[in-house]
Amino acid sequence: VPNRFVTRIAPDTDVSETGTWTPDSGNDNHARTGGDPFDSTHYTQEASPAANDQVTCGLSANLTNKLGAAPSSVGAVTVHAYATGNGNTARAGIGSNNDNTYDDGAIEATGVDTTYMYKTRTTKPQGNAAWSGSDTINARFKVVSV
């Protein structure tokens, strides 16, 4: 049985947004949403959300560079998100290599209570190819309905 390692890499770049997302301080969404460990005092928000508003953060380099070693294989990638709000419905999604193909998780944030959401993929969303060290990861938070 090969050794397996689990690690966490926080997003370090803003990729895109639809709507007007405002970090609680500073100018970068990723700096407020990518903290490790989770800190509910750091956030970015959409004050007047509409369906399909979304904020996407990612990695500034591929997995090999971020890990400091070339992985022989990548078993899965998971994106995590927390949401609270005004009764909107939202989902966490995962993408790769800034190609605009995403797979959203089944757990939806609904209502005003804080909800933990995630999406795990064993393959990339586009074409279902295996993840590799040359991939970058995109984490998306999308408003489904208001």
Side-chain angles (χ1 to χ4, degrees), residues 79-106:
V79 169
H80 304 270
Y82 284 91
T84 188
N86 299 322
N88 304 320
T89 301
R91 290 184 178 163
I94 190 169
S96 66
N97 305 317
N98 297 330
D99 86 336
N100 245 0
T101 301
Y102 290 89
D103 187 10
D104 292 329

Side-chain angles (χ1 to χ4, degrees), residues 24-114:
D24 66 294
S25 69
N27 297 319
D28 301 318
N29 292 319
H30 74 272
R32 306 313 289 170
T33 61
D36 184 19
F38 171 71
D39 181 348
S40 64
T41 64
H42 296 181
Y43 58 87
T44 191
Q45 68 180 351
E46 192 0 323
S48 299
N52 297 316
D53 281 357
Q54 57 191 340
V55 61
T56 304
C57 298
L59 301 178
S60 60
N62 65 29
L63 288 174
T64 294
N65 289 332
K66 289 294 179 181
L67 295 171
S72 57
S73 66
V74 178
V77 173
T78 301
V79 169
H80 304 270
Y82 284 91
T84 188
N86 299 322
N88 304 320
T89 301
R91 290 184 178 163
I94 190 169
S96 66
N97 305 317
N98 297 330
D99 86 336
N100 245 0
T101 301
Y102 290 89
D103 187 10
D104 292 329
I107 299 172
E108 294 183 335
T110 57
V112 296
D113 294 329
T114 301

